[in-house]
Amino acid sequence: MENKPYKTLYEGGVGEIVEKKSRFIATVEKIDTEEEALAFIARMKKQYWDARHNCYAFVAGKNHELQRCSDDGEPNGTAGRPMLEVLLREDIHNIAVVVTRYFGGTLLGTGGLVRAYQKSVQEGLCNSIIIERMQGQLLDIHTDYNGIGKIQYIAAQREISVLDTEYTDKVMVKLIVPVEKMKELQEAVTEGTNGTAVYQLGEEVEFALIEGKIKIF
């Protein structure tokens, strides 16, 4: 995950499905530690105290080092593990999900339970905001009025976001550049401005594009 984009939760959500009159309610939340995950699970069990099952799965760490799941009374391997597999397959980091089941009176069988729990997690994810966080660096480029069009074109071509542009006797463009694109960008800008652009490196940050806007963490 280091220096590479990774998917994580920006805003949790709730999804619900009904299978043979059983209600499955998936609640999704961002977590960074096992303590946060356990506190979230305890909160869900308190909220849905009257439900037959509150199964859960969560992952945390740069390489999903922390993985936990529970069937909470469902037949072994029919709930927690299938839920965890969805999170790992989607490769989402630092996320917890609790699926609450209100039993509808009809047994679903092993395969039916696995499908229902996985489907409910997917429904919860669909109702959440999942973002791709990237490692980037702030970069100010100082240029003249002849160079600004070239820089804007080069940045747009590489899907690099312009945060701000200041016009005085010169022009200063503030960019946020994914670290893996920095060298290529500087080479293209140097060539495009015939070596007249001056660079000023800023701090390294994590950022994401959320609903078309840059969010710096």
Side-chain angles (χ1 to χ4, degrees), residues 124-136:
L125 294 177
C126 284
N127 293 326
S128 303
I129 298 175
I130 295 162
I131 59 173
E132 189 173 61
R133 281 176 69 145
M134 291 168 270
Q135 193 75 24

Side-chain angles (χ1 to χ4, degrees), residues 181-201:
K181 293 184 180 180
M182 180 64 80
K183 187 170 181 285
E184 177 198 342
L185 174 78
Q186 288 181 314
E187 286 174 354
V189 168
T190 297
E191 185 181 333
T193 62
N194 297 315
T196 60
V198 177
Y199 307 104
Q200 186 178 344
L201 286 177

Side-chain angles (χ1 to χ4, degrees), residues 5-147:
Y6 65 98
K7 286 197 290 184
T8 189
L9 199 63
Y10 182 66
E11 193 176 291
V14 179
E16 182 176 335
I17 67 165
V18 177
E19 293 285 342
K20 295 182 179 176
K21 298 183 181 176
S22 277
R23 284 176 68 206
F24 294 84
I25 305 162
T27 308
V28 182
E29 182 155 302
K30 186 180 188 314
I31 54 102
D32 291 309
T33 64
E34 186 166 14
E35 291 72 27
E36 289 177 5
L38 295 175
F40 163 61
I41 293 159
R43 202 165 70 244
M44 290 299 98
K45 286 187 173 183
K46 190 175 179 183
Q47 181 177 333
Y48 294 111
W49 59 271
D50 58 338
R52 176 75 69 94
H53 307 281
N54 282 290
C55 307
Y56 66 78
F58 61 89
V59 292
K62 288 187 175 182
N63 299 299
H64 304 307
E65 298 93 332
L66 179 64
Q67 301 180 18
R68 299 282 186 276
C69 61
S70 168
D71 295 313
D72 193 37
E74 291 282 28
N76 188 35
T78 60
R81 188 74 212 173
M83 290 164 60
L84 184 63
E85 284 169 2
V86 174
L87 302 182
L88 294 172
R89 186 169 65 239
E90 295 293 334
D91 197 23
I92 303 170
H93 293 257
N94 296 4
I95 185 172
V97 59
V98 173
V99 175
T100 302
R101 182 189 183 193
Y102 285 96
F103 185 57
T106 304
L107 296 174
L108 299 182
T110 303
L113 282 173
V114 169
R115 285 190 296 274
Y117 276 102
Q118 290 195 323
K119 188 177 172 185
S120 56
V121 172
Q122 287 159 344
E123 192 69 20
L125 294 177
C126 284
N127 293 326
S128 303
I129 298 175
I130 295 162
I131 59 173
E132 189 173 61
R133 281 176 69 145
M134 291 168 270
Q135 193 75 24
Q137 186 153 26
L138 298 175
L139 176 68
D140 293 347
I141 304 178
H142 300 263
T143 185
D144 54 27
Y145 280 78
N146 294 325

